Amino acid sequence: MSAHLNQQIAQALIDGLKIKIVSEATQISRFEVRRIGLSFPDLYPTALSPQEHLKILSSLTAELTSLEQAKAVVEGKQLKLLAAARRKRLLDDYELAALSGLNPENIRKMTWGVEARSALPA
């Protein structure tokens, strides 16, 4: 999704949209917008109007933001479940690591001090 957004940013810049306008539409710094624009040297101008570019950029930005928020919620739930399973000694760190795809040391660091009361039933 972010790769698609980056390509659309570069395409908008190729088609003549100003960096400041793209930066405001995507809520990305001007420096990053410029860097993204320079990283796609093989694009050619399209027949899209500036309004169409802004509409595409706004929708992609909104979708990416909602995906990031959903990811944060899922990661929070995962952390609480790992902490609860570790505290209740349902699985040891190595079993949790095998199930979660993390290494045991990261699980210990991540779950240290995490409140896990509501994650698992008693």
Side-chain angles (χ1 to χ4, degrees), residues 53-109:
H53 277 297
L54 290 176
K55 183 179 176 184
I56 292 169
L57 291 173
S58 296
S59 68
L60 286 173
T61 302
E63 191 173 348
L64 187 60
T65 302
S66 68
L67 287 173
E68 288 172 350
Q69 290 170 349
K71 179 183 174 189
V73 168
V74 168
E75 287 175 344
K77 288 179 183 179
Q78 177 191 27
L79 182 61
K80 285 183 180 181
L81 283 171
L82 287 171
R86 190 164 183 254
R87 280 218 176 77
K88 292 187 179 210
R89 301 190 195 285
L90 297 174
L91 300 169
D92 67 14
D93 291 340
Y94 296 101
E95 291 170 326
L96 288 172
L99 291 172
S100 67
L102 302 169
N103 68 36
E105 187 61 31
N106 282 351
I107 290 175
R108 281 187 221 107
K109 288 178 184 177

Side-chain angles (χ1 to χ4, degrees), residues 12-19 21-22 49-51 53-54 57:
L13 294 175
I14 293 287
D15 287 346
L17 226 52
K18 300 290 183 195
I19 291 176
I21 295 171
V22 173
S49 70
Q51 291 79 18
H53 277 297
L54 290 176
L57 291 173

